[in-house]
Amino acid sequence: MKNKLKQFNCPVGITLGIIGGKYKVIIIWYLYENGTLRYGELQKLLKGITPKMLITQLRELENDGIIKRKVYPVVPPKVEYNLTKTGKSIIPILLEMKKWGENYSIKNI
């Protein structure tokens, strides 16, 4: 995450550096709505995402402290994801984005 802080001179750039990307905001949203999700559940919700892309997005969110990954020592492996306190702190912004999207879609349909 420190690289992202150094990369941008603007707080908005830092935010976009962390949550930007095709699936990150959607992953955060689904974890907000559902609490805890397993890898397979996320894959089903994110139609069209490749396993490699999902793993990459999850790792980046975990490295940035947005989500927490819990691995259970069972066979087959069981991995669960949920939002950290930092991840939950972005939810008010996503709720505003949701409102904006709803208003935009009503005006432009």
Side-chain angles (χ1 to χ4, degrees), residues 19-78:
I19 66 166
K22 190 170 183 178
Y23 297 102
K24 286 183 182 178
V25 171
I26 307 301
I27 291 168
I28 294 167
W29 185 258
Y30 282 137
L31 290 173
Y32 163 68
E33 284 187 322
N34 296 285
T36 300
L37 289 170
R38 294 178 64 182
Y39 175 86
E41 293 170 321
L42 281 165
Q43 197 167 31
K44 286 177 188 173
L45 288 168
L46 297 162
K47 295 174 178 66
I49 192 169
T50 64
K52 181 181 177 185
M53 177 60 78
L54 179 54
I55 289 167
T56 299
Q57 300 283 279
L58 290 169
R59 283 187 183 148
E60 289 177 8
L61 287 168
E62 183 181 12
N63 289 337
D64 289 332
I66 304 299
I67 65 171
K68 184 172 38 177
R69 177 179 185 255
K70 184 171 183 179
V71 180
Y72 294 89
V74 295
V75 177
K78 178 182 174 184

Coordinates of all heavy atoms in Angstrom, one line a residue, residues 19-78:
I19 N -9.1 1.1 -4.7 CA -10.4 0.4 -5.1 C -10.6 0.4 -6.6 O -11.6 -0.1 -7.0 CB -11.6 1.0 -4.3 CG1 -11.8 2.4 -4.8 CG2 -11.4 0.9 -2.8 CD1 -13.1 3.0 -4.4
G20 N -9.7 1.0 -7.3 CA -9.9 1.0 -8.8 C -9.7 -0.3 -9.4 O -9.1 -1.2 -8.8
G21 N -10.3 -0.5 -10.5 CA -10.2 -1.8 -11.2 C -11.6 -2.3 -11.5 O -12.6 -1.8 -10.9
K22 N -11.7 -3.3 -12.4 CA -13.0 -3.7 -12.9 C -13.8 -4.4 -11.8 O -15.0 -4.2 -11.8 CB -12.7 -4.7 -14.0 CG -14.0 -5.0 -14.7 CD -13.7 -5.8 -16.0 CE -15.0 -6.1 -16.8 NZ -14.7 -6.8 -18.0
Y23 N -13.2 -5.1 -10.8 CA -14.0 -5.8 -9.9 C -13.9 -5.5 -8.4 O -14.7 -5.9 -7.6 CB -13.7 -7.3 -10.0 CG -14.0 -7.9 -11.4 CD1 -13.1 -8.1 -12.3 CD2 -15.3 -8.2 -11.7 CE1 -13.4 -8.6 -13.6 CE2 -15.6 -8.7 -13.0 CZ -14.7 -8.9 -13.9 OH -15.0 -9.4 -15.1
K24 N -12.9 -4.7 -8.0 CA -12.7 -4.4 -6.6 C -13.9 -3.8 -5.9 O -14.3 -4.3 -4.8 CB -11.5 -3.5 -6.4 CG -10.2 -4.3 -6.7 CD -9.0 -3.3 -6.4 CE -7.7 -4.0 -6.7 NZ -6.6 -3.1 -6.5
V25 N -14.5 -2.8 -6.5 CA -15.6 -2.2 -5.8 C -16.8 -3.1 -5.7 O -17.5 -3.2 -4.7 CB -16.1 -0.9 -6.5 CG1 -17.4 -0.3 -6.0 CG2 -15.0 0.2 -6.4
I26 N -17.0 -4.0 -6.7 CA -18.1 -5.0 -6.7 C -17.8 -6.0 -5.6 O -18.7 -6.4 -4.9 CB -18.2 -5.6 -8.1 CG1 -18.4 -4.6 -9.2 CG2 -19.4 -6.6 -8.1 CD1 -19.6 -3.6 -9.0
I27 N -16.5 -6.4 -5.5 CA -16.2 -7.4 -4.4 C -16.5 -6.8 -3.1 O -17.1 -7.4 -2.2 CB -14.7 -7.8 -4.5 CG1 -14.5 -8.7 -5.8 CG2 -14.2 -8.5 -3.3 CD1 -13.0 -8.9 -6.1
I28 N -16.1 -5.5 -2.9 CA -16.3 -4.9 -1.6 C -17.8 -4.8 -1.3 O -18.3 -5.0 -0.2 CB -15.7 -3.5 -1.6 CG1 -14.2 -3.6 -1.6 CG2 -16.1 -2.7 -0.4 CD1 -13.5 -2.3 -1.9
W29 N -18.6 -4.4 -2.4 CA -20.0 -4.3 -2.2 C -20.7 -5.6 -1.8 O -21.5 -5.7 -0.9 CB -20.7 -3.8 -3.5 CG -22.2 -3.6 -3.3 CD1 -23.2 -4.3 -3.8 CD2 -22.8 -2.5 -2.6 NE1 -24.4 -3.8 -3.4 CE2 -24.2 -2.7 -2.7 CE3 -22.3 -1.4 -2.0 CZ2 -25.1 -1.8 -2.1 CZ3 -23.2 -0.5 -1.4 CH2 -24.5 -0.7 -1.5
Y30 N -20.3 -6.7 -2.5 CA -20.9 -8.0 -2.2 C -20.5 -8.5 -0.7 O -21.3 -9.1 0.0 CB -20.4 -9.1 -3.1 CG -21.2 -9.1 -4.5 CD1 -20.5 -9.2 -5.7 CD2 -22.6 -8.9 -4.5 CE1 -21.2 -9.2 -6.9 CE2 -23.3 -8.8 -5.7 CZ -22.6 -9.0 -6.9 OH -23.2 -8.9 -8.1
L31 N -19.3 -8.2 -0.3 CA -18.9 -8.5 1.1 C -19.7 -7.6 2.1 O -20.0 -8.1 3.1 CB -17.4 -8.3 1.3 CG -16.5 -9.4 0.5 CD1 -15.1 -9.0 0.6 CD2 -16.8 -10.8 1.1
Y32 N -20.0 -6.4 1.7 CA -20.8 -5.5 2.5 C -22.2 -6.1 2.7 O -22.8 -6.2 3.8 CB -20.8 -4.1 2.0 CG -22.0 -3.3 2.5 CD1 -22.0 -2.9 3.8 CD2 -23.0 -2.9 1.7 CE1 -23.0 -2.1 4.3 CE2 -24.1 -2.1 2.2 CZ -24.1 -1.7 3.5 OH -25.1 -1.0 4.0
E33 N -22.8 -6.5 1.5 CA -24.1 -7.1 1.5 C -24.3 -8.4 2.2 O -25.3 -8.7 2.9 CB -24.7 -7.2 0.1 CG -25.1 -5.9 -0.5 CD -25.7 -6.1 -1.9 OE1 -25.3 -7.1 -2.6 OE2 -26.7 -5.4 -2.2
N34 N -23.2 -9.2 2.1 CA -23.3 -10.6 2.6 C -22.5 -10.9 3.8 O -22.6 -12.0 4.4 CB -22.9 -11.6 1.5 CG -23.8 -11.5 0.3 OD1 -24.9 -12.0 0.3 ND2 -23.3 -10.8 -0.8
G35 N -21.7 -10.0 4.2 CA -20.8 -10.3 5.4 C -19.6 -11.1 5.0 O -18.6 -10.5 4.7
T36 N -19.7 -12.4 5.1 CA -18.6 -13.2 4.7 C -18.9 -14.1 3.5 O -20.0 -14.6 3.4 CB -18.3 -14.2 5.9 OG1 -17.9 -13.4 7.1 CG2 -17.1 -15.1 5.6
L37 N -18.0 -14.2 2.6 CA -18.2 -15.0 1.4 C -17.0 -15.9 1.2 O -15.9 -15.5 1.4 CB -18.5 -14.1 0.2 CG -19.8 -13.4 0.1 CD1 -19.8 -12.4 -1.1 CD2 -20.9 -14.4 -0.1
R38 N -17.3 -17.1 0.6 CA -16.2 -18.0 0.2 C -15.8 -17.6 -1.2 O -16.5 -17.0 -1.9 CB -16.7 -19.4 0.3 CG -16.9 -19.8 1.8 CD -17.4 -21.2 2.0 NE -16.4 -22.1 1.5 CZ -16.6 -23.5 1.5 NH1 -17.7 -24.0 2.0 NH2 -15.7 -24.3 1.1
Y39 N -14.6 -18.1 -1.6 CA -14.1 -17.9 -2.9 C -15.1 -18.3 -4.0 O -15.4 -17.5 -4.9 CB -12.8 -18.6 -3.1 CG -12.2 -18.5 -4.5 CD1 -11.4 -17.5 -4.8 CD2 -12.5 -19.5 -5.5 CE1 -10.9 -17.3 -6.1 CE2 -12.0 -19.3 -6.8 CZ -11.2 -18.3 -7.1 OH -10.7 -18.2 -8.3
G40 N -15.7 -19.5 -3.9 CA -16.6 -19.9 -4.9 C -17.9 -19.1 -5.0 O -18.4 -18.9 -6.1
E41 N -18.3 -18.6 -3.8 CA -19.5 -17.7 -3.8 C -19.2 -16.4 -4.6 O -20.0 -15.9 -5.3 CB -19.9 -17.4 -2.4 CG -20.5 -18.7 -1.7 CD -20.7 -18.4 -0.2 OE1 -19.8 -17.7 0.5 OE2 -21.7 -19.0 0.3
L42 N -18.0 -15.9 -4.3 CA -17.6 -14.6 -5.0 C -17.6 -14.9 -6.5 O -18.0 -14.1 -7.3 CB -16.3 -14.1 -4.5 CG -16.3 -13.3 -3.2 CD1 -15.0 -13.2 -2.6 CD2 -17.0 -12.0 -3.4
Q43 N -17.0 -16.0 -6.9 CA -16.9 -16.3 -8.3 C -18.2 -16.4 -9.0 O -18.4 -15.9 -10.1 CB -16.1 -17.6 -8.5 CG -15.6 -17.8 -9.9 CD -14.5 -18.9 -10.0 OE1 -14.6 -19.9 -9.3 NE2 -13.6 -18.8 -10.9
K44 N -19.2 -17.0 -8.3 CA -20.6 -17.1 -8.9 C -21.2 -15.7 -9.0 O -21.9 -15.4 -10.0 CB -21.4 -18.0 -8.0 CG -21.1 -19.5 -8.2 CD -22.0 -20.3 -7.2 CE -21.5 -21.7 -7.2 NZ -22.2 -22.6 -6.3
L45 N -21.0 -14.8 -8.0 CA -21.6 -13.5 -8.0 C -21.0 -12.6 -9.1 O -21.6 -11.8 -9.7 CB -21.4 -12.8 -6.7 CG -22.3 -13.4 -5.5 CD1 -21.8 -12.8 -4.2 CD2 -23.7 -13.1 -5.8
L46 N -19.7 -12.8 -9.4 CA -19.0 -12.0 -10.3 C -18.9 -12.7 -11.7 O -17.9 -13.3 -12.1 CB -17.5 -11.7 -9.8 CG -17.5 -10.9 -8.6 CD1 -16.1 -11.0 -7.9 CD2 -17.8 -9.5 -8.9
K47 N -20.0 -12.8 -12.3 CA -20.2 -13.5 -13.6 C -19.1 -13.0 -14.6 O -19.0 -11.8 -14.8 CB -21.6 -13.3 -14.2 CG -22.6 -13.9 -13.3 CD -24.0 -13.6 -13.8 CE -25.1 -14.3 -13.0 NZ -25.2 -13.8 -11.6
G48 N -18.4 -13.9 -15.2 CA -17.5 -13.6 -16.2 C -16.0 -13.4 -15.8 O -15.1 -13.2 -16.6
I49 N -15.8 -13.3 -14.4 CA -14.5 -13.1 -13.9 C -13.7 -14.4 -14.1 O -14.2 -15.5 -13.8 CB -14.5 -12.6 -12.5 CG1 -13.1 -12.1 -12.1 CG2 -15.0 -13.6 -11.5 CD1 -13.0 -11.3 -10.8
T50 N -12.4 -14.3 -14.5 CA -11.6 -15.5 -14.5 C -11.0 -15.8 -13.1 O -10.9 -14.8 -12.3 CB -10.4 -15.3 -15.5 OG1 -9.6 -14.2 -15.0 CG2 -10.9 -14.9 -16.9
P51 N -10.7 -17.0 -12.9 CA -10.1 -17.3 -11.6 C -8.9 -16.5 -11.3 O -8.7 -16.0 -10.1 CB -9.8 -18.8 -11.7 CG -10.8 -19.3 -12.7 CD -11.0 -18.2 -13.7
K52 N -8.0 -16.3 -12.3 CA -6.8 -15.6 -12.1 C -7.1 -14.1 -11.7 O -6.5 -13.5 -10.8 CB -5.9 -15.6 -13.4 CG -4.6 -14.8 -13.2 CD -3.8 -14.9 -14.5 CE -2.6 -14.1 -14.3 NZ -1.8 -13.9 -15.5
M53 N -8.1 -13.5 -12.4 CA -8.4 -12.1 -12.1 C -9.0 -12.0 -10.7 O -8.7 -11.1 -10.0 CB -9.4 -11.6 -13.1 CG -9.9 -10.2 -12.8 SD -8.7 -8.9 -12.8 CE -8.4 -8.7 -14.5
L54 N -9.9 -12.9 -10.3 CA -10.5 -12.9 -9.0 C -9.4 -13.0 -7.9 O -9.4 -12.2 -6.9 CB -11.5 -14.0 -8.8 CG -12.2 -14.1 -7.4 CD1 -12.8 -12.8 -7.0 CD2 -13.2 -15.2 -7.4
I55 N -8.5 -13.9 -8.1 CA -7.4 -14.1 -7.1 C -6.5 -12.8 -7.0 O -6.2 -12.4 -5.9 CB -6.5 -15.3 -7.5 CG1 -7.3 -16.6 -7.2 CG2 -5.2 -15.3 -6.7 CD1 -6.6 -17.9 -7.8
T56 N -6.2 -12.2 -8.2 CA -5.4 -11.0 -8.2 C -6.2 -9.9 -7.5 O -5.5 -9.2 -6.6 CB -5.2 -10.6 -9.7 OG1 -4.4 -11.6 -10.3 CG2 -4.4 -9.3 -9.7
Q57 N -7.4 -9.7 -7.7 CA -8.2 -8.6 -7.1 C -8.3 -8.9 -5.6 O -8.1 -7.9 -4.8 CB -9.6 -8.5 -7.7 CG -9.6 -8.2 -9.2 CD -9.4 -6.8 -9.5 OE1 -10.2 -5.9 -9.4 NE2 -8.1 -6.5 -9.9
L58 N -8.5 -10.1 -5.2 CA -8.6 -10.4 -3.8 C -7.3 -10.2 -3.0 O -7.3 -9.6 -1.9 CB -9.1 -11.9 -3.6 CG -10.6 -12.1 -3.9 CD1 -10.8 -13.6 -4.0 CD2 -11.5 -11.4 -3.0
R59 N -6.2 -10.6 -3.7 CA -4.9 -10.4 -3.1 C -4.6 -8.9 -2.9 O -4.0 -8.5 -1.9 CB -3.8 -11.1 -3.9 CG -3.8 -12.6 -3.7 CD -2.6 -13.2 -4.4 NE -2.7 -14.6 -4.2 CZ -2.2 -15.5 -5.1 NH1 -1.7 -15.1 -6.2 NH2 -2.3 -16.8 -4.8
E60 N -4.9 -8.1 -3.9 CA -4.6 -6.7 -3.8 C -5.4 -6.0 -2.7 O -4.9 -5.2 -2.0 CB -4.9 -6.0 -5.2 CG -3.8 -6.4 -6.2 CD -4.1 -5.8 -7.6 OE1 -5.1 -5.0 -7.7 OE2 -3.4 -6.1 -8.5
L61 N -6.7 -6.4 -2.6 CA -7.6 -5.9 -1.6 C -7.1 -6.3 -0.2 O -7.1 -5.5 0.8 CB -9.0 -6.3 -1.8 CG -9.8 -5.6 -2.9 CD1 -11.1 -6.3 -3.2 CD2 -10.0 -4.2 -2.6
E62 N -6.6 -7.5 -0.1 CA -6.1 -8.0 1.2 C -4.8 -7.3 1.5 O -4.6 -6.8 2.7 CB -5.8 -9.5 1.1 CG -5.3 -10.1 2.4 CD -5.0 -11.6 2.3 OE1 -5.0 -12.2 1.2 OE2 -4.8 -12.2 3.3
N63 N -3.9 -7.1 0.6 CA -2.6 -6.4 0.8 C -2.8 -5.0 1.2 O -2.0 -4.4 1.9 CB -1.7 -6.5 -0.5 CG -1.2 -7.9 -0.7 OD1 -1.1 -8.7 0.2 ND2 -0.8 -8.2 -1.9
D64 N -3.9 -4.4 0.7 CA -4.2 -3.0 1.0 C -5.0 -2.9 2.3 O -5.4 -1.8 2.7 CB -5.0 -2.3 -0.1 CG -4.0 -2.0 -1.3 OD1 -2.8 -1.9 -1.1 OD2 -4.5 -2.0 -2.4
G65 N -5.3 -4.0 3.0 CA -6.0 -3.9 4.2 C -7.5 -3.7 4.1 O -8.2 -3.4 5.1
I66 N -8.1 -4.0 3.0 CA -9.5 -3.7 2.7 C -10.3 -5.0 3.1 O -11.4 -4.9 3.6 CB -9.8 -3.3 1.3 CG1 -9.0 -2.1 0.9 CG2 -11.3 -3.1 1.0 CD1 -9.3 -0.9 1.7
I67 N -9.8 -6.1 2.8 CA -10.5 -7.4 3.2 C -9.5 -8.3 4.0 O -8.3 -8.1 4.0 CB -11.0 -8.2 1.9 CG1 -9.8 -8.6 1.0 CG2 -12.0 -7.3 1.1 CD1 -10.2 -9.6 -0.1
K68 N -10.2 -9.2 4.6 CA -9.4 -10.2 5.4 C -9.7 -11.6 4.9 O -10.9 -11.9 4.5 CB -9.9 -10.1 6.9 CG -9.2 -11.0 7.9 CD -9.5 -10.7 9.3 CE -11.0 -10.4 9.5 NZ -11.4 -10.2 10.9
R69 N -8.7 -12.4 4.8 CA -8.8 -13.7 4.2 C -8.6 -14.7 5.4 O -7.6 -14.6 6.1 CB -7.7 -13.9 3.1 CG -7.7 -15.3 2.5 CD -6.6 -15.2 1.5 NE -6.5 -16.4 0.7 CZ -5.5 -17.3 0.9 NH1 -4.6 -17.1 1.8 NH2 -5.6 -18.4 0.2
K70 N -9.5 -15.7 5.5 CA -9.3 -16.7 6.5 C -9.3 -18.0 5.9 O -10.3 -18.4 5.1 CB -10.5 -16.6 7.6 CG -10.3 -17.6 8.7 CD -11.3 -17.4 9.8 CE -11.0 -18.3 10.9 NZ -11.9 -18.2 12.0
V71 N -8.3 -18.8 6.1 CA -8.1 -20.1 5.5 C -8.3 -21.2 6.6 O -7.7 -21.1 7.7 CB -6.7 -20.3 4.9 CG1 -6.5 -21.7 4.3 CG2 -6.4 -19.2 3.9
Y72 N -9.2 -22.1 6.3 CA -9.5 -23.2 7.2 C -8.6 -24.4 6.8 O -8.6 -24.8 5.6 CB -11.0 -23.6 7.2 CG -11.8 -22.5 7.8 CD1 -12.3 -21.5 7.0 CD2 -12.1 -22.4 9.1 CE1 -13.1 -20.4 7.5 CE2 -12.9 -21.4 9.7 CZ -13.4 -20.4 8.8 OH -14.2 -19.4 9.3
P73 N -8.0 -25.1 7.8 CA -7.2 -26.3 7.4 C -8.0 -27.5 7.2 O -7.9 -28.5 8.0 CB -6.3 -26.4 8.7 CG -7.1 -25.9 9.8 CD -8.0 -24.8 9.2
V74 N -8.7 -27.5 6.1 CA -9.5 -28.7 5.7 C -9.3 -29.0 4.3 O -8.7 -28.2 3.5 CB -11.0 -28.4 5.9 CG1 -11.4 -28.2 7.4 CG2 -11.5 -27.2 5.1
V75 N -9.7 -30.2 3.9 CA -9.6 -30.7 2.5 C -11.0 -30.9 2.0 O -11.7 -31.7 2.7 CB -8.7 -31.9 2.4 CG1 -8.6 -32.4 1.0 CG2 -7.3 -31.6 2.9
P76 N -11.4 -30.4 0.9 CA -10.7 -29.3 0.1 C -10.6 -28.0 0.9 O -11.3 -27.8 1.9 CB -11.6 -29.2 -1.1 CG -13.0 -29.6 -0.6 CD -12.8 -30.6 0.4
P77 N -9.7 -27.2 0.5 CA -9.4 -25.9 1.2 C -10.7 -25.1 1.3 O -11.5 -25.0 0.3 CB -8.4 -25.2 0.4 CG -7.8 -26.2 -0.5 CD -8.8 -27.3 -0.7
K78 N -10.9 -24.5 2.4 CA -12.0 -23.5 2.6 C -11.4 -22.2 3.0 O -10.7 -22.0 3.9 CB -12.9 -24.0 3.8 CG -14.1 -23.1 4.1 CD -14.9 -23.6 5.3 CE -16.0 -22.6 5.7 NZ -16.7 -23.1 6.9

